[in-house]
Amino acid sequence: MIKKTMIGLGVFAILFPTLAFAEPATNEQLQAAINSVWVLIAAMLVIFMQAGFALLEAGSTRMKNAGHVAGKTILTFGICALAFWAFGFGLAFGDGSGLFSNNLFGLTGFFMDGVHAEAFTSLSASDVPIAIKFLFQLSFVGVSLAIAWGGFAERAKLPVYFIFGVLFTIVIYPIVAHWVWGGGWLSKIGMQDFAGSTVVHLQGATAALVATILLKPRIGKYNKDGSPNKIPGHNQVYSVLGVIIIWIGWFGFNPGSTLSAMGDGFFGFIALNTNLAAAAGAVAAMVISWIYFGKSDIPSMLNGVLAAFVAITASCAFVTPLGAIAIGAIAGIITFFTAIWFEKRGIDDPVYAFSVHGVAGIWGTLATGFFATPELAKTVGVGGAGLFYGGGLHQLWVQFIGVAGALIFVLILSYIVLTLINKTVGLRVTEEEEIMGLDLSEHGTYGYPEQLKHSTEETSDARQKADKTDNRSVPASS
């Protein structure tokens, strides 16, 4: 006991000068520390949304593809992280020069070292370290890429995820991000997209739409007369859990985009708007499905929640709570009808990526042109008031230009990239591999080995009994 006491006194004596005479932290240092912790937590919440997307997409697809769908979430986020660190972050937030004058894309900050922030003037207003800013922005591009994969589900080759993942992260996403958030031409005309209805969601959804069209429908989705068949997901509980995780993660998505926890708690106001919009989207989508189908449809409700989140993402800092409720409810209803419309037009979007993230992203971006208040636009320092608050048509026109520019750019680039991939390595697995399931054909094992093995054995037994009963052979492909 005496020995331990003497050791403790010795350590205290050594540290005492440092403890006693260390300079207290300044207000600026404390503020930077608080903001840094807040943004890092927000980044973690948004990255955690990947778990939600894995559950949602796996639950919304068939059992034979569940392991593939969930597992590629990890693979593609890893690909995205490396590509964004090397090139994407610099293109999105680096400084332009010469002919481009920073209007189109950045040309500095490649292979970011995590220490020096001089190359990223567009991010200089925040006192958060550049390494944390990178992680926060990485979480956004990761979500956008996860949205894009919805259009590839159940029929795309594994190499496509490598190739398109890299090119989307370098060639497509950073350009629009620079236009809106990196000091590009859309930021200069005052486009309001606080957390990415266009930058994140519309980009990912547009890529998903192009992939869906080029890959063509899944086997068995449409009859000869063109009428669609339902291909239900294998686990609705997974889908619900996925949406709950995404709901939680969105509190990092929108409030985190303040990049600050200081001041009058503006991030709390944004969180309030975000939550109210999602709640309105859930209720509106469930009610409209009840009216339309005669039964309340749970997948439609889940899509309504996500669509409302997508819509409020652009406008969460510019609108009142009442405006947020209206935006969320309208998003839930629009998404319900557009999902049905696209399906009837022969577009087999397994998780309704374009309806949920594309159509709702367009609506949410345009919505600030209607609902933005002059006080909140002044607080944020971007754009002006919307039509319903005395701003006339100016902000709505700016929002339309931003949506149209991003949509056309991503549509063209995605088509070029995916067409080149299709001409070289190919986009779609063979018919046999698709019927077998991507778990087995791409990875050599099922995500549910016990259940699917049991199902296969039952099918084999039934076939043998039929052979004995009918006394005739059955083709192996039947």
Side-chain angles (χ1 to χ4, degrees):
M1 183 67 182
I2 295 175
K3 184 177 180 180
K4 290 182 180 180
T5 303
M6 293 301 293
I7 292 173
L9 290 172
V11 172
F12 180 78
I14 294 171
L15 295 178
F16 177 74
T18 303
L19 296 173
F21 300 107
E23 293 185 8
T26 64
N27 288 338
E28 290 77 13
Q29 289 172 329
L30 289 173
Q31 176 177 307
I34 292 170
N35 289 340
S36 299
V37 171
W38 161 238
V39 176
L40 181 59
I41 291 171
M44 293 166 62
L45 285 170
V46 180
I47 291 172
F48 187 54
M49 290 170 70
Q50 295 290 332
F53 283 114
L55 283 171
L56 173 62
E57 193 174 334
S60 301
T61 51
R62 287 166 290 185
M63 183 182 288
K64 63 183 179 181
N65 300 311
H68 168 84
V69 167
K72 61 97 173 111
T73 304
I74 302 294
L75 168 67
T76 56
F77 187 71
I79 292 170
C80 170
L82 295 172
F84 195 62
W85 165 77
F87 297 107
F89 190 58
L91 288 167
F93 298 100
D95 298 330
S97 61
L99 176 65
F100 300 106
S101 301
N102 211 40
N103 284 324
L104 299 179
F105 48 81
L107 293 170
T108 60
F110 302 127
F111 299 96
M112 192 266 301
D113 64 6
V115 178
H116 297 93
E118 297 82 3
F120 306 99
T121 304
S122 62
L123 299 175
S124 61
S126 169
D127 55 9
V128 175
I130 193 65
I132 296 177
K133 291 175 183 174
F134 167 78
L135 290 173
F136 186 66
Q137 295 299 333
L138 167 65
S139 69
F140 277 43
V141 65
V143 167
S144 189
L145 189 57
I147 293 165
W149 298 139
F152 294 73
E154 298 203 286
R155 57 211 192 278
K157 292 181 177 180
L158 188 63
V160 174
Y161 293 109
F162 282 89
I163 301 170
F164 188 75
V166 170
L167 294 177
F168 180 85
T169 306
I170 295 175
V171 179
I172 299 174
Y173 178 91
I175 308 304
V176 175
H178 185 82
W179 293 354
V180 181
W181 295 337
W185 66 280
L186 287 176
S187 70
K188 291 176 180 176
I189 66 173
M191 182 182 177
Q192 296 170 336
D193 188 10
F194 188 75
S197 289
T198 289
V199 174
V200 178
H201 296 277
L202 180 57
Q203 287 207 79
T206 303
L209 176 64
V210 175
T212 301
I213 294 172
L214 291 178
L215 281 162
K216 297 184 172 51
R218 292 167 290 176
I219 296 171
K221 176 62 181 177
Y222 292 98
N223 299 312
K224 289 183 178 180
D225 62 358
S227 59
N229 296 310
K230 286 291 182 184
I231 302 180
H234 82 280
N235 196 320
Q236 206 166 87
V237 176
Y238 276 11
S239 298
V240 171
L241 287 173
V243 170
I244 292 172
I245 291 173
I246 291 171
W247 193 314
I248 295 170
W250 228 289
F251 289 112
F253 213 109
N254 290 358
S257 293
T258 59
L259 300 181
S260 175
M262 306 303 292
D264 57 358
F266 189 52
F267 69 96
F269 172 79
I270 292 172
L272 172 66
N273 277 349
T274 300
N275 198 67
L276 288 173
V283 174
M286 176 64 93
V287 170
I288 202 68
S289 73
W290 203 340
I291 294 171
Y292 188 87
F293 293 129
K295 297 286 184 181
S296 53
D297 186 56
I298 291 176
S300 295
M301 177 185 66
L302 300 180
N303 286 338
V305 171
L306 297 175
F309 272 131
V310 170
I312 198 61
T313 293
S315 55
C316 55
F318 298 98
V319 304
T320 65
L322 188 60
I325 292 172
I327 291 168
I330 292 170
I333 294 170
I334 290 175
T335 294
F336 175 80
F337 286 110
T338 56
I340 294 173
W341 187 87
F342 279 113
E343 187 175 55
K344 288 182 177 179
R345 295 304 180 277
I347 297 176
D348 180 19
D349 189 346
V351 295
Y352 303 106
F354 190 74
S355 296
V356 172
H357 298 274
V359 175
I362 292 170
W363 157 240
T365 307
L366 295 177
T368 67
F370 295 105
F371 292 96
T373 71
E375 297 82 9
L376 289 170
K378 184 178 179 181
T379 297
V380 180
V382 178
L387 177 64
F388 298 159
Y389 288 86
L393 294 173
H394 174 75
Q395 192 61 49
L396 183 59
W397 175 244
V398 170
Q399 299 301 103
F400 174 79
I401 292 173
V403 165
L407 180 64
I408 293 169
F409 173 80
V410 180
L411 200 69
I412 293 172
L413 263 291
S414 296
Y415 179 80
I416 292 172
V417 170
L418 289 170
T419 299
L420 289 174
I421 295 173
N422 195 30
K423 296 291 185 181
T424 52
V425 301
L427 288 175
R428 186 162 177 161
V429 298
T430 66
E431 182 175 330
E432 181 182 3
E433 289 171 333
E434 184 176 344
I435 293 171
M436 181 191 308
L438 301 186
D439 281 6
L440 193 59
S441 66
E442 294 287 87
H443 309 287
T445 183
Y446 280 123
Y448 294 93
E450 294 178 355
Q451 289 89 335
L452 285 169
K453 181 181 178 182
H454 182 65
S455 176
T456 304
E457 289 173 349
E458 285 184 343
T459 303
S460 178
D461 291 343
R463 178 178 293 168
Q464 291 175 7
K465 290 179 181 178
D467 289 349
K468 293 177 181 178
T469 303
D470 297 342
N471 195 28
R472 57 188 172 85
S473 62
V474 179
S477 61
S478 65

